[in-house]
Amino acid sequence: MTSWFVGLDVDGTILLQDESMSPGVPEAVARLRDAGHEVTIATGRSWNATERYVDLLGLTPEYVVCSNGAVTMRRVGEEWERWHIETFDASPVLALLRARLPEARYMVELASGQRLYTEHLDDWTLDGGRQVGFEELVAEPVSRVVVVSPGHDEEDFHRLVADAGLNEVSYAIGWTAWLDIAPQGVDKGTALERVRARLGFGGDRVLVAGDGRNDIGMFTWAQEIGGRAVAMGQAPHEVKAAAGETTADVEDGGLADALNTLPAAAQVSAGE
């Protein structure tokens, strides 16, 4: 089969800032889905904040990548299960960060998907979560750590990461003052590679699209295996530099433009 394996970021790629769909995306996704291509999501969001967009887009993938690659969900009949979870001991990194950012707000995601947080975090899905003391955040392994510090900007976070020596974990700095930390060596690309190998797609039939620094890992992965990596037009310079292609801004339907370059039908080779 010459069908494609397509992995899409959500915020700033599928969605506009108000969480409405980027122009043309529902139609482009439906065209690929109906043509037999495997279209899935690869996002920094938790599964609880992702599932509704799988449904809204009418996606039918077997696997969905969440939490920046630390969580991969698998469809089993009409239900979903947590198929592959990466965790790590967050106590050393949290101790380092707390010493430098005592006023920051902290959240961890457990292997079960439950979120524990020290204080309410605006713009983060906390459904089913629980507010706890700092000590409870480090009581068991976690799949991610989120640090929110509104009083600091991106440059502050880069300096903090360097000063704290955060080389035993993977991290991404968000558009605003937050730091997202994953297990070492884990990103969207590592999770998508596991899914690609499981489904049997060739590397030259992979397309990924995103707009953030947490997409750089999957851009690198896609190009290393001969696939396509597409950065959104509004992405930071280093994100565009990591991609093989750049499309229009999310407000201008850049994702739909990229998806519409794929064939309208998944062809079958002679003899198959």
Side-chain angles (χ1 to χ4, degrees), residues 232-255:
M232 302 300 295
Q234 81 282 356
H237 173 74
E238 63 265 38
V239 176
K240 292 180 182 179
E245 307 171 38
T246 300
T247 188
D249 289 6
V250 63
E251 291 88 353
D252 298 324
L255 178 58

Side-chain angles (χ1 to χ4, degrees), residues 93-94 96-107 117-121 131-134 137 145-152 157 160 177-179:
V93 67
L94 280 169
L96 279 170
L97 291 170
R98 190 185 192 192
R100 290 162 173 79
L101 296 172
E103 303 302 319
R105 300 182 179 195
Y106 297 88
M107 180 182 73
Y117 53 94
T118 56
E119 295 180 69
H120 183 79
L121 280 68
Q131 186 170 358
V132 300
F134 191 87
L137 292 182
V145 172
V146 172
V147 185
V148 177
S149 185
H152 295 83
F157 269 102
L160 171 71
W178 58 272
L179 183 64

Side-chain angles (χ1 to χ4, degrees), residues 4-8 32 37-41 205 207 259 262:
W4 284 68
F5 178 47
V6 180
L8 305 176
L32 295 184
H37 301 291
E38 180 80 358
V39 183
T40 191
I41 285 175
R205 289 293 183 269
L207 182 147
L259 295 181
L262 294 182

